[in-house]
Amino acid sequence: RGSEIVTAIQSRQEVLVWTDQALYGLQYLGAPDAWGAQLLGDNISILSPNSAIYVSGVAYWMGTDKFYRYDGNVLPLNCDLRRYIFDDINLAQKDQIFVGLNERFNEIWWFYCSSDSTTTDRYVVYNHVEGVWTYGNMARSAWVESKIRANPIAATFNNKLVYHEIGY
């Protein structure tokens, strides 16, 4: 279902594939190259190829008007900030949306363009352990969770690398 594949990420036992309207699970069935596809969720959305992440056995992603999770079932996340986020997002710049992980604090960060911006200038954070949301203004162009450092590294628009929680 859907007219295009938007993105895919590796989960523990399958490859999760999002179309513009559904979520599929692909599992390897055996030789020589046999894969099986199973519809996991229908009538859903995903905003960008970089807006999905797999954390602690659960996939999280940003849809066109809500956030979702998949842990065996596709469910919308309860988000008190939903209207604030989706009423002030520049959908013409949706391909710039990206997600990052700050594993040390159990945080999933989505960066997006506010309605009057053409660069990512806002963020929304979900603590996936406590179920708490927060938001703010911060311009970032890239993010990587570091397994060898205590904090993630992000890039700013003025060519700086930032160790989050520490500084430049």
Side-chain angles (χ1 to χ4, degrees):
R1 298 192 177 122
S3 60
E4 67 177 323
I5 293 175
V6 177
T7 195
I9 57 175
Q10 176 70 44
S11 71
R12 188 168 294 151
Q13 295 180 358
E14 61 192 340
V15 176
L16 300 173
V17 179
W18 282 264
T19 70
D20 53 352
Q21 296 179 7
L23 173 62
Y24 286 88
L26 295 179
Q27 290 186 325
Y28 183 67
L29 302 176
D33 294 315
W35 288 81
Q38 178 182 3
L39 180 65
L40 304 175
D42 199 8
N43 296 320
I44 60 156
S45 61
I46 185 164
L47 263 178
S48 81
N50 297 313
S51 65
I53 194 165
Y54 188 75
V55 180
S56 301
V58 180
Y60 298 90
W61 69 96
M62 185 182 210
T64 57
D65 65 347
K66 63 182 84 164
F67 295 90
Y68 294 92
R69 66 178 277 154
Y70 170 72
D71 61 358
N73 295 304
V74 174
L75 297 169
L77 288 172
N78 290 330
C79 179
D80 297 335
L81 303 173
R82 182 176 165 206
R83 289 288 37 107
Y84 174 81
I85 305 296
F86 294 103
D87 285 349
D88 187 33
I89 193 168
N90 185 345
L91 292 178
Q93 300 297 324
K94 69 181 182 175
D95 286 339
Q96 291 191 59
I97 295 170
F98 67 95
V99 64
L101 177 65
N102 190 342
E103 193 169 26
R104 181 174 168 198
F105 297 107
N106 304 309
E107 295 171 343
I108 301 168
W109 290 62
W110 283 275
F111 291 90
Y112 64 96
C113 303
S114 61
S115 59
D116 58 350
S117 179
T118 57
T119 58
T120 54
D121 62 341
R122 298 267 174 95
Y123 68 87
V124 60
V125 178
Y126 178 63
N127 183 306
H128 62 91
V129 172
E130 298 174 9
V132 176
W133 292 88
T134 189
Y135 66 97
N137 299 330
M138 185 184 309
R140 295 291 182 261
S141 61
W143 180 286
V144 64
E145 173 69 17
S146 176
K147 297 295 182 188
I148 60 173
R149 292 186 169 84
N151 298 303
I153 301 168
T156 68
F157 286 100
N158 59 355
N159 302 317
K160 303 270 189 211
L161 291 180
V162 178
Y163 291 102
H164 270 262
E165 315 302 332
I166 297 174
Y168 293 106

